[in-house]
Every structure is written in C-alpha cells, then in structure tokens.
Amino acid sequence: MSAAEVWAGDGVPARVIGHDRPCAGIAVLTLRPWARLPHRPGQAVPVQTPRHPGRWRWYSPANAPRPDGTVELHVRAVAAGTVSGGLVQDVRPGDLLRLGPARDTGLHLRDGDLLLVAGGTGLAPLRALVEQVAATPGRTSRCTSAGRPPWSTSPAAGCPSPGCPRAASTCPTRRP
C-alpha cells in the first residue's frame, strides 16, 4: 500500500505516548502514528479525537521528521474550544487520535543564517525548522520566543497562570 493510500480517507490512528502539561492550558502531546507521517517543518496536520468525531483541528508538528516516526504537537486550550480543551485536559497516554495528511508547503531552508521569531504555541513549526537546521552541517540559526511578561500574575497578562505547577515564588523568570 502506498503512502498516499495509507493517509487517504479518515486518516491514520496515532497512539498518545506522552502528554506533558508545562503550564495551565498547554499540553505537549507525543504521538506514534501507525504509519509514518510524511511532513516538513511548518506544515499543518489535521487531528481528530474520538471524543469529537468529525471535528478535525489543524496543528503544526513541533519536530522535524524523526527516525522513530513520533510526532510532537503543542496544543493550547482555547475558550469554547472543545477539541483543543479535550486534547489538553482529557487525552492521556495510551489514547488513540487520528491524523490526516500534512498540508501546506511548509517552511523551506535557503542559504544564509536564520532569525526565527514566535510567541506561545506558534513556536512549534519554528522548533521543527530549528531541528532541521541543526541536522544540516554548516548552518546556524537563532530562535527567539516571545510571551507574556513573566512577572505578571494575571491570567490575561502573564505567567504563572492559575493552576501552573510552578508557584510564583519558584518561577525562575519571575521579576523580584
């Protein structure tokens, strides 16, 4: 069976093998698809959870293709987002999700150095590109991530968010 045939139709099952919660409202999911997911950094992949059949949401893998075939997704729960909220709050290692084929053109490397700037979970496709650059001899890159001010305790304005595992007194980036 060709890769196109494998990825046609309702997608391919992918087992959740890791579910990390670095902060409230964010999950880092590590998935092992039942068939290798052909993708390039910057492409988007449709994801479906059995809790919401027929509702596909698009995420950019946060890794370049890996030898073991695993895919890492960074998911932020959004207000009224039943799929993103379910992926962050309810999905556990061992659960099955469905992945569709990667789309979009992805990010392409050109000669010269790279300056990559992102904020929040928008860092995911750039992280994948940095992994690709790191595997390319003679290439350098700089990646800058922006976020809310680390000294703010307001959920709308900064870290630590309510429910964040790091209390304000232990947050290493908190302003004194």
Side-chain angles (χ1 to χ4, degrees):
M1 184 177 282
S2 73
E5 291 170 321
V6 168
W7 287 99
D10 291 331
V12 169
R15 185 159 314 277
V16 178
I17 61 171
H19 185 278
D20 296 320
R21 296 282 308 275
C23 215
I26 302 285
V28 176
L29 303 176
T30 305
L31 310 175
R32 183 178 310 283
W34 290 13
R36 183 168 289 281
L37 173 66
H39 72 283
R40 288 187 311 275
Q43 286 188 301
V45 175
V47 178
Q48 178 184 262
T49 171
R51 291 175 180 88
H52 302 285
R55 290 188 180 177
W56 293 84
R57 296 300 182 263
W58 293 82
Y59 296 94
S60 290
N63 61 284
R66 296 176 174 165
D68 69 358
T70 59
V71 176
E72 186 176 297
L73 302 176
H74 296 183
V75 181
R76 175 185 304 276
V78 297
T82 55
V83 175
S84 65
L87 291 172
V88 171
Q89 303 291 336
D90 302 328
V91 168
R92 297 289 175 257
D95 289 354
L96 286 177
L97 304 177
R98 294 194 79 75
L99 302 179
R103 298 275 198 251
D104 297 330
T105 60
L107 302 172
H108 299 280
L109 293 174
R110 303 211 192 303
D111 290 338
D113 295 338
L114 297 173
L115 172 62
L116 308 171
V117 180
T121 55
L123 181 63
L126 300 186
R127 180 176 176 254
L129 190 61
V130 167
E131 284 186 9
Q132 184 178 350
V133 168
T136 306
R139 294 296 305 260
T140 61
S141 66
R142 293 185 189 268
C143 189
T144 301
S145 178
R148 298 178 183 126
W151 56 87
S152 173
T153 57
S154 165
C159 178
S161 299
C164 181
R166 292 187 178 201
S169 61
T170 62
C171 182
T173 59
R174 185 174 170 84
R175 182 190 288 179

